[in-house]
Amino acid sequence: MPSLRKSFDALMERRTAAIPTVALTPDERLALVGRHGDFSLAYSTAVQDDLSYFGGKAGYIAFGRKMGSAVALADPVAAPGERADLIRGFVREAHDPCFVQIGEASARVLSELGYKVNRMGIDTRLTLTPKTFAGSRNETVRYSERWLLKNGFSIVEDDGSGAHAAEIKQLSDAWRSQRIVSHREMRFLNRPFRPQLGNGMRRFMLLDPQRQPVAILDFDPMVENGELAGYTTSFKRKLPGITAHAEIGLTKFAADRLRDEGRKFITLGMSPLAGVKESGFAESKLMLRAMQRFFRSHWINRRIFNVEGQAAFKRRFHGDEEPVYIAFRRLSPFQVLAILRLSKAF
């Protein structure tokens, strides 16, 4: 017998209009990301399972559906001049969908369409120059890398051959076992982890003195004007009990390596609920106050997700904090629940 949840989902789906979708192959989506993927989630929208796509061969909006609600994931993957029309078309066809983790340009278009736009967190960008980690404020970052090397650790880049795939899976499983929610992985805003690297991804590994992987840092590619310009952090994993210097030292090493290759920047990914203040657009004051309270909530940080800890880690690098937005016409409890369920938050 179908579960009550599935039966309810099916009922809600039957009550909503169908959204026209485009059947793009993975290679076609990645080709579009290679031309227009200038935001942190672009690569993830192309490779994550269970997403649908609105648009055409020239560009798309990735979205998910749950409980009769459509939720667009991030900005359109399209030429900047074509994004506004894609957004307007999706709003028309999907009947007031929500948009999550979008940038300022998309937020402005939606605000003009009568949407409320709230901040939902920040993304941290590090511009890569010889002075990125200079100065007294970055002494702890430099020290972490020195400490690792002094204590017999080494940092290498995975060549993508899959030679360490079994060890990487074990490492990830051990990491997940220590998470607040350990029996499932987040989705939608974060895609599930895979031991094998996808096309264009980069992986840096921390090896212990016995040359065994104990931490990894994965990156997705980002472009500017159709050229590979930088990377965004997609996954971090480490064995329980490994020194706190691991993630910091790995990030510095990887940033320096990518800088030496001529890359302009890395982004550290969204810190949810961090830096939430007035958006500058018409917004929900209730949501603004709720997000600010949730960020400081002891219960949320201990029982659901450590949002304060994640933001504190990224702020160690003193990067530029770029606001990330959520936009909605009328955010009902069903829509909030749909976003949480798409993300596997519960």
Side-chain angles (χ1 to χ4, degrees):
M1 175 181 291
S3 70
L4 181 60
R5 175 181 289 191
K6 290 182 179 179
S7 297
F8 179 76
D9 288 349
L11 174 63
M12 295 296 290
E13 288 293 329
R14 288 195 295 270
R15 295 177 60 185
T16 57
I19 301 172
T21 59
V22 57
L24 297 170
T25 69
D27 286 344
E28 288 174 325
R29 297 195 298 268
L30 285 173
L32 287 168
V33 169
R35 295 194 296 271
H36 309 304
D38 58 0
F39 54 94
S40 291
L41 277 188
Y43 185 92
S44 190
T45 66
V47 301
Q48 186 174 171
D49 295 334
D50 302 324
L51 294 179
S52 299
Y53 299 93
F54 173 87
K57 298 294 185 180
Y60 66 80
I61 290 176
F63 69 97
R65 294 193 72 164
K66 186 67 68 175
M67 300 171 58
S69 294
V71 183
L73 178 62
D75 300 309
V77 178
E82 298 175 4
R83 292 177 181 177
D85 284 342
L86 262 177
I87 290 171
R88 295 186 189 102
F90 186 63
V91 168
R92 182 173 58 252
E93 296 289 348
H95 302 289
D96 300 336
C98 296
F99 290 73
V100 295
Q101 205 164 335
I102 57 175
E104 185 174 350
S106 296
R108 187 176 299 110
V109 172
L110 287 161
S111 181
E112 292 170 355
L113 293 175
Y115 270 63
K116 288 182 168 53
V117 178
N118 282 67
R119 286 194 179 200
M120 63 180 294
I122 54 173
D123 196 351
T124 302
R125 178 180 292 249
L126 303 182
T127 301
L128 300 181
T129 73
K131 296 184 178 180
T132 299
F133 301 113
S136 58
R137 68 177 187 172
N138 285 308
E139 171 57 30
T140 58
V141 175
R142 299 193 301 272
Y143 176 79
S144 288
E145 184 182 37
R146 294 198 304 269
W147 187 95
L148 292 171
L149 300 179
K150 180 179 178 180
N151 285 274
F153 292 87
S154 56
I155 303 174
V156 300
E157 183 170 2
D158 189 331
D159 62 5
S161 66
H164 295 282
E167 294 166 303
I168 296 301
K169 184 179 185 307
Q170 292 175 355
L171 186 159
S172 180
D173 290 345
W175 175 87
R176 282 188 58 206
S177 71
Q178 301 296 308
R179 298 299 91 194
I180 297 173
V181 178
S182 60
H183 62 283
R184 63 178 180 272
E185 286 202 75
M186 299 289 285
R187 293 177 178 269
F188 200 59
L189 297 177
N190 298 93
R191 68 182 185 275
F193 176 77
R194 293 176 181 170
Q196 296 81 15
L197 288 174
N199 292 336
M201 292 180 65
R202 304 284 290 271
R203 171 175 291 159
F204 294 87
M205 298 192 302
L206 179 67
L207 307 180
D208 67 12
Q210 290 73 47
R211 303 289 294 176
Q212 296 300 306
V214 294
I216 61 168
L217 179 61
D218 288 359
F219 291 95
D220 293 343
M222 294 176 62
V223 304
E224 281 185 351
N225 301 317
E227 299 290 336
L228 178 63
Y231 289 86
T232 184
T233 303
S234 49
F235 298 104
K236 296 183 295 181
R237 297 287 191 269
K238 68 175 184 176
L239 289 178
I242 294 299
T243 172
H245 293 298
E247 293 173 89
I248 301 172
L250 257 177
T251 301
K252 180 185 180 300
F253 179 93
D256 287 342
R257 172 72 64 85
L258 297 172
R259 178 203 65 208
D260 292 344
E261 294 177 4
R263 305 310 167 208
K264 298 178 181 179
F265 62 86
I266 63 171
T267 73
L268 304 183
M270 185 176 70
S271 299
L273 305 182
V276 170
K277 56 186 179 181
E278 291 186 355
S279 67
F281 301 101
E283 65 185 318
S284 165
K285 300 301 182 184
L286 177 62
M287 173 172 280
L288 169 63
R289 292 191 295 271
M291 286 185 172
Q292 291 172 335
R293 287 198 300 270
F294 292 161
F295 181 74
R296 299 187 299 267
S297 166
H298 179 77
W299 184 83
I300 286 176
N301 281 279
R302 291 291 300 274
R303 297 296 184 90
I304 298 180
F305 188 80
N306 186 5
V307 289
E308 285 187 315
Q310 186 179 85
F313 169 80
K314 294 175 183 178
R315 282 172 169 158
R316 289 174 180 264
F317 296 94
H318 304 285
D320 296 322
E321 296 183 348
E322 301 175 342
V324 178
Y325 301 93
I326 178 173
F328 50 89
R329 188 87 72 179
R330 295 175 297 276
L331 194 65
S332 71
F334 282 127
Q335 288 176 317
V336 173
L337 190 57
I339 295 170
L340 293 174
R341 288 187 55 199
L342 280 170
S343 304
K344 300 293 184 183
F346 64 89

